[in-house]
Amino acid sequence: MIDLKSIGLGWMRKEAASGRMSRREFIQIAGAAGVTVAAADFMFAKAAKAAPNKGGHFIQALTGGGTKDVLDPAQTLDSYMINVSFGQLRNNLTEIAPDGSLIGELATEWEGLDGGKRWVFAIRTGVTFHNGKSLTPEDVVASFNHHRGPDSKSAASGLVKQIVDVRADGGNVVFELEAGNADWPFIVSDYHLVICPANADGTMDWQSGTGTGSYKLESFEPGVNTRVIRNENYWKEGRAHFDSAENLFIPDAGARANALITGSLHAYSNLDLKTVGLMGRDPNIQIFPITGNKHAVLPMHVDTAPFDNLDVRLALKYAINREELVSKILRGQGEVGNDSPIGPANAYRATPEELPQRPYDPDKAKFHLKKAGMDSLKVQLSLADTAFEGAIDAGSLYAESAKPAGIEIEVVREAEDSYWDNVWLKKPWCGGYWGGRPTEDWMFSQVYQAGADWNETKWANPRFNELLIQARSELDEKKRRDMYVEMQIICSEDGGALIPIFMAYTHAASTKIALPDQIANNWELDGHKNVERWSMA
Amino acid sequence: MKLIFGVIFQRLALSLVTIFLVSIVIFSSVTLLPGDFAKSILGQSATPETVAAFQRELGLDRPPVERYLEWIGRVAQGDLGDSFASGAGYQRSVAEVIGPRLGNTLFLAAITAVIAVPLALALGVAAALYRNSWFDRTVNATSLSTISFPEFFVAYILMLIFAVNLRLLPSLANVGPETPLDERLVKTLLPAMTLALVIIAHMLRMTRASIIALLASPYVEMARLKGVSRRRVILKHVLPNAWAPIVNIIAFNLAYLIVGVVVVEAVFVYPGVGQLMVDSVQTRDIPVVQGCALIFAATYIFLNLAADVIAIATNPRILHPR
């Protein structure tokens, strides 16, 4: 079958889908391009079917929530409230489109001045909140100020620390930053930085759940269920197809699977990897892994022996069988990592030519060990399954694969519930994961910059840190890309982070749900915008 | 009658003392829990400043004794305090958090009791009357097997049969405040059946044992000899004397239905108090954990009290111990 896209007629599909082009016109134009009538007819049917159906009540199960959930975006921390607050109720200034590009959401356009120190966002006009109030630049200012201030408890306080001043200026909002940041338009797409209506005193009203988003809040029972109904005044075209949606909090993977199989649910994410194969056999269920920036990491403290020796780090990096981890731990739902946190959802990821994939090579590991002046090495790796799913098993596999290189890895089982307090950042070698960040600068400055709070490897490479600062205010795309590629190479060659695998976001959906052609990879569930992007089949 | 009220009053007073002691145990064990609410709510985003801001706002930087006295003082006035999830301009009291969940739990317990108690009593009496028959053995073997399996296993088997294969009942018991009664009943049926299977054996065997013991007693023999019908023997002569142990077992099982069904709640995603408490322990939402624990303790104590009172009312001999 010929694909319309391959013969340059991709636009026709859109026309057919929107109903602007009839079957007859479609066949005529396709025929002129050398497509047979039968084939064109089939293509039309396929394309026209792609027009999303309106209506239906969508029920999904989310994880990462609990009775402590609140509608306050400053306390949005995990997937349940991200999906509800950021994906359904509210909008940001900008949005990351399914193809990874940055598009305007409540801002129509933006411009960086003074080397990225000042940013001017033009605010979309004619947008109303669910309560009927019109969106104004003052609402945007209040929404950003909500996260600022010395007593801020906001999880985004680190992100907004760089704002020196934010003010409304006519129909615009102007940000003054303490230093140039070329990524600022990306950063305002963060799920904490959603826009809520301002109160008269300049604070922000998050308590009511009112936003400009595709769905209006109907009921909110933390840790149980959130119901929403479509915002009939939603300003985005071609979005918000369901009439209403329901978000259940189901922490138990088995219960989620049963509910989908028995038809009580339409979709969920975070599959139990052990049963992915079995779920895939059900004809009424579609399984689709999406690999984004989420990755597992085994951070070594580069200021602690033996990890202070670069050759030891390299030996350990060559001694892990990454392919085996993807097939056995992830059951194929992911990709191998290359000791750099920059993933498929980043714009400037180094190509395999620029940064060749590091293989499993016990001989090379041995070579580096020898170079470090050692015949054998014995190290402890602290893990718990909270570090990432299957971490303990991954540690055991790693220990086996490292043996031929003369490296003995002792996997230390740590307590699960205090793992992030007592092990992560404290033990010289442990495990962890990152959901990944949409921009290179964001990821690198939060976790890899010298002195960063979360610098889990205590790594401080001068060249890397110099490039990080330079790239941040570099507005020239080409130069920026070169810098980020160099930084990824330095990170992979010199850094203390062993990044073995990128875990896919795993999803299962009923075949009653129509999925778009392109699904975003910046977060799970279509970048957490699935409720406004998906529809009934 | 006056005597009974005296006993009830005395028991009530003792119960209050017990609850007070339990509250000390609850508070100290919750205080000893490792971990911290601010850190758990902020996760990886916890920086020393944000954690300190949280601690200050929640008053966690004050000494435990002071916090206990304040808490127990408010509880005595019927105020369980506010959940840590509340903040500036947003209040969520513990009563508000627990209320709907407790309602769900009581509903599930009631449905289960309505199914299980009459069934267990009827089967127990029948098994006692026809003891060592095939009927008796079948009932015994079946109930013993269902109580021997772990709850989640029974739950999954029922789910496989009724939800996956027959598609008769939903596997999700996600009831809410706005769920209409008929839908609520349908959704609650699978968890209720699971729990019924788990508790029937206990009550059934106790009923059977106490009735068998009484059937062998001289006054039952006398009644039979003077020609009283079998039905009358059971209802008038045997059961009144058998109530005390049976009621105790029923109370014990009812208490279990309220405080111990967290596994079944998790399997069916039923929003009950058990799940809430586990959830709150994980997030270290201390006021909610304390509130739940206190309610659980009170449930146990008062159900046992009720069982004692019923036992006394049906068998006045207990009032005058020799």
Side-chain angles (χ1 to χ4, degrees):
Chain A
M1 190 84 242
I2 318 163
D3 182 39
L4 283 175
K5 248 188 200 156
S6 65
I7 52 174
L9 294 178
W11 61 274
M12 286 174 60
R13 210 172 50 165
K14 228 183 237 165
E15 294 290 298
S18 64
R20 283 191 293 266
M21 185 184 278
S22 72
R23 181 183 293 261
R24 191 190 181 90
E25 287 169 319
F26 188 95
I27 294 174
Q28 277 172 355
I29 300 173
V35 180
T36 66
V37 172
D41 193 38
F42 178 80
M43 283 179 189
F44 178 82
K46 198 174 154 218
K49 216 178 74 190
N53 287 322
K54 271 235 177 292
H57 179 66
F58 178 67
I59 308 173
Q60 64 174 343
L62 297 172
T63 53
T67 42
K68 65 175 195 298
D69 286 346
V70 286
L71 291 163
D72 183 357
Q75 289 180 48
T76 300
L77 295 156
D78 214 338
S79 49
Y80 189 95
M81 287 315 294
I82 298 175
N83 198 287
V84 170
S85 161
F86 159 87
Q88 298 169 34
L89 302 179
R90 293 145 177 169
N91 292 131
N92 287 60
L93 286 180
T94 57
E95 175 187 355
I96 294 174
D99 63 3
S101 63
L102 189 71
I103 57 175
E105 202 167 35
L106 291 180
T108 46
E109 51 190 353
W110 52 90
E111 193 185 359
L113 305 162
D114 297 347
K117 261 184 100 165
R118 178 188 304 161
W119 285 92
V120 181
F121 287 79
I123 306 304
R124 194 177 292 276
T125 50
V127 176
T128 53
F129 285 99
H130 301 152
N131 60 7
K133 181 187 175 312
S134 299
L135 171 76
T136 64
E138 284 73 24
D139 298 318
V140 178
V141 172
S143 300
F144 277 85
N145 282 337
H146 181 66
H147 304 278
R148 299 175 65 207
D151 261 347
S152 169
K153 288 186 301 175
S154 171
S157 59
L159 286 179
V160 297
K161 228 171 22 196
Q162 53 192 307
I163 302 178
V164 176
D165 181 44
V166 48
R167 61 176 187 275
D169 178 16
N172 297 335
V173 169
V174 182
F175 293 92
E176 304 278 357
L177 307 181
E178 59 183 17
N181 189 345
D183 279 335
W184 188 248
F186 262 101
I187 291 182
V188 297
S189 75
D190 178 67
Y191 58 81
H192 300 102
L193 304 177
V194 292
I195 308 303
C196 301
N199 293 322
D201 61 354
T203 57
M204 167 186 115
D205 167 27
W206 55 264
Q207 290 86 347
S208 64
T210 291
T212 56
S214 46
Y215 286 83
K216 288 191 275 197
L217 188 65
E218 196 180 39
S219 72
F220 175 58
E221 203 185 331
V224 182
N225 192 356
T226 306
R227 292 159 176 273
V228 295
I229 48 172
R230 183 167 52 216
N231 172 8
E232 295 299 342
N233 301 321
Y234 197 43
W235 53 273
K236 271 190 216 175
E237 270 189 44
R239 297 279 184 94
H241 308 295
F242 302 116
D243 288 338
S244 53
E246 202 170 321
N247 304 281
L248 300 173
F249 171 58
I250 307 187
D252 184 64
R256 289 198 296 273
N258 283 328
L260 184 71
I261 293 166
T262 55
S264 306
L265 271 189
H266 289 122
Y268 73 93
S269 64
N270 282 317
L271 275 64
D272 183 351
L273 292 174
K274 294 185 186 81
T275 53
V276 163
L278 290 169
M279 294 280 291
R281 281 193 227 154
D282 190 320
N284 301 316
I285 291 175
Q286 35 188 343
I287 301 243
F288 51 105
I290 304 278
T291 306
N293 291 346
K294 185 175 166 191
H295 57 268
V297 57
L298 304 174
M300 317 174 219
H301 287 185
V302 301
D303 58 355
T304 312
F307 310 113
D308 53 350
N309 188 321
L310 173 61
D311 281 298
V312 170
R313 302 205 289 271
L314 284 170
L316 290 169
K317 286 176 181 177
Y318 278 111
I320 189 164
N321 189 341
R322 298 157 200 256
E323 299 284 351
E324 188 186 33
L325 295 185
V326 171
S327 67
K328 291 193 180 151
I329 301 296
L330 301 182
R331 318 258 163 170
Q333 314 273 310
E335 292 173 9
V336 292
N338 204 9
D339 305 327
S340 150
I342 304 308
N346 284 115
Y348 307 120
R349 190 189 199 192
T351 62
E353 289 76 42
E354 288 163 333
L355 178 57
Q357 175 61 44
R358 181 165 285 133
Y360 168 50
D361 191 340
D363 291 332
K364 211 149 187 186
K366 230 179 208 161
F367 164 78
H368 281 289
L369 213 54
K370 198 150 262 165
K371 228 173 124 192
M374 301 179 196
D375 288 330
S376 66
L377 173 68
K378 199 176 165 190
V379 279
Q380 285 192 333
L381 174 58
S382 300
L383 290 174
D385 275 333
T386 27
F388 55 90
E389 199 186 338
I392 300 271
D393 292 340
S396 313
L397 289 173
Y398 184 14
E400 279 305 308
S401 72
K403 267 183 194 159
I407 301 172
E408 194 185 323
I409 296 172
E410 186 199 336
V411 177
V412 183
R413 226 176 230 272
E414 302 282 355
E416 303 236 342
D417 63 348
S418 53
Y419 186 81
W420 300 111
D421 281 349
N422 301 334
V423 180
W424 183 64
L425 293 179
K426 307 244 166 40
K427 292 280 159 85
W429 199 21
C430 66
Y433 77 95
W434 289 97
R437 297 291 179 270
T439 69
E440 289 73 7
D441 179 61
W442 197 336
M443 188 70 221
F444 281 143
S445 26
Q446 263 185 344
V447 188
Y448 291 82
Q449 189 171 20
D453 283 346
W454 291 342
N455 186 334
E456 53 191 3
T457 57
K458 323 265 180 208
W459 186 51
N461 181 299
R463 174 68 184 154
F464 179 90
N465 284 286
E466 184 191 344
L467 282 169
L468 184 63
I469 305 294
Q470 276 177 24
R472 194 174 291 158
S473 53
E474 179 58 67
L475 296 174
D476 182 303
E477 286 276 315
K478 169 85 183 58
K479 282 189 195 153
R480 241 181 141 210
R481 192 193 140 76
D482 290 346
M483 291 181 195
Y484 282 129
V485 169
E486 190 185 338
M487 285 163 73
Q488 289 170 60
I489 295 171
I490 299 175
C491 184
S492 173
E493 300 285 321
D494 183 72
L498 199 173
I499 298 177
I501 43 176
F502 276 71
M503 300 99 117
Y505 299 118
T506 51
H507 311 86
S510 148
T511 44
K512 286 183 192 138
I513 298 298
L515 301 169
D517 289 342
Q518 184 147 32
I519 296 175
N521 62 3
N522 54 328
W523 290 106
E524 61 183 337
L525 295 165
D526 209 347
H528 275 306
K529 297 263 184 188
N530 61 328
V531 178
E532 75 165 54
R533 289 177 183 168
W534 297 359
S535 63
M536 291 290 169
Chain B
M1 226 36 205
K2 221 171 147 193
L3 258 173
I4 291 188
F5 283 117
V7 170
I8 292 177
F9 183 77
Q10 190 193 352
R11 289 291 178 87
L12 259 176
L14 269 175
S15 304
L16 286 178
V17 174
T18 319
I19 288 192
F20 175 72
L21 293 176
V22 167
S23 80
I24 296 178
V25 175
I26 292 171
F27 188 88
S28 28
S29 45
V30 167
T31 310
L32 287 175
L33 270 181
D36 176 294
F37 175 75
K39 280 185 192 159
S40 96
I41 205 171
L42 292 168
Q44 281 186 331
S45 329
T47 60
E49 299 91 63
T50 45
V51 170
F54 252 105
Q55 304 267 31
R56 247 196 330 277
E57 191 180 296
L58 300 171
L60 288 175
D61 47 353
R62 289 180 300 143
V65 177
E66 196 184 317
R67 279 187 286 138
Y68 172 73
L69 290 178
E70 193 198 324
W71 175 63
I72 200 71
R74 288 172 72 173
V75 170
Q77 296 164 38
D79 175 12
L80 288 170
D82 289 333
S83 156
F84 280 174
S86 35
Y90 177 75
Q91 202 197 20
R92 241 176 107 68
S93 69
V94 172
E96 216 177 300
V97 175
I98 298 182
R101 296 294 196 96
L102 188 62
N104 289 340
T105 294
L106 292 177
F107 184 79
L108 176 59
I111 298 293
T112 311
V114 165
I115 299 174
V117 174
L119 203 61
L121 291 183
L123 288 175
V125 172
L129 287 179
Y130 305 102
R131 69 170 173 279
N132 298 332
S133 68
W134 276 109
F135 170 76
D136 179 28
R137 290 195 180 141
T138 318
V139 165
N140 259 317
T142 318
S143 59
L144 274 180
S145 355
T146 58
I147 204 178
S148 317
F149 289 125
E151 295 156 351
F152 70 87
F153 182 76
V154 177
Y156 278 131
I157 295 290
L158 289 180
M159 198 189 277
L160 181 70
I161 297 171
F162 292 100
V164 178
N165 288 343
L166 299 177
R167 307 244 159 180
L168 281 177
L169 294 169
S171 75
L172 271 191
N174 56 325
V175 297
E178 71 283 356
T179 315
L181 184 68
D182 50 343
E183 195 188 327
R184 185 179 273 261
L185 277 173
V186 171
K187 284 188 166 171
T188 316
L189 208 52
L190 268 185
M193 276 162 66
T194 310
L195 290 171
L197 284 178
V198 175
I199 63 168
I200 279 179
H202 203 178
M203 296 188 286
L204 182 154
R205 288 179 67 78
M206 183 50 98
T207 313
R208 178 178 176 274
S210 38
I211 288 182
I212 285 178
L214 288 171
L215 281 177
S217 59
Y219 74 88
V220 173
E221 204 168 338
M222 178 64 209
R224 275 205 193 135
L225 286 175
K226 72 180 182 191
V228 178
S229 75
R230 196 156 162 172
R231 186 191 159 86
R232 231 180 119 72
V233 168
I234 294 289
L235 291 178
K236 285 274 170 189
H237 298 265
V238 177
L239 267 182
N241 283 303
W243 273 129
I246 295 175
V247 165
N248 258 312
I249 289 300
I250 291 177
F252 178 81
N253 278 295
L254 289 184
Y256 160 80
L257 285 180
I258 291 170
V259 309
V261 298
V262 62
V263 174
V264 173
E265 285 178 9
V267 170
F268 292 103
V269 199
Y270 189 82
V273 186
Q275 276 277 22
L276 173 70
M277 185 161 173
V278 171
D279 219 45
S280 307
V281 169
Q282 273 170 359
T283 56
R284 308 282 187 263
D285 193 346
I286 295 169
V288 177
V289 177
Q290 288 171 346
C292 289
L294 211 53
I295 288 175
F296 286 171
T299 308
Y300 250 104
I301 293 168
F302 285 110
L303 276 174
N304 274 310
L305 175 71
D308 285 355
V309 171
I310 292 175
I312 293 169
T314 55
N315 193 344
R317 274 180 305 174
I318 306 176
L319 258 188
H320 310 282
R322 264 177 296 177

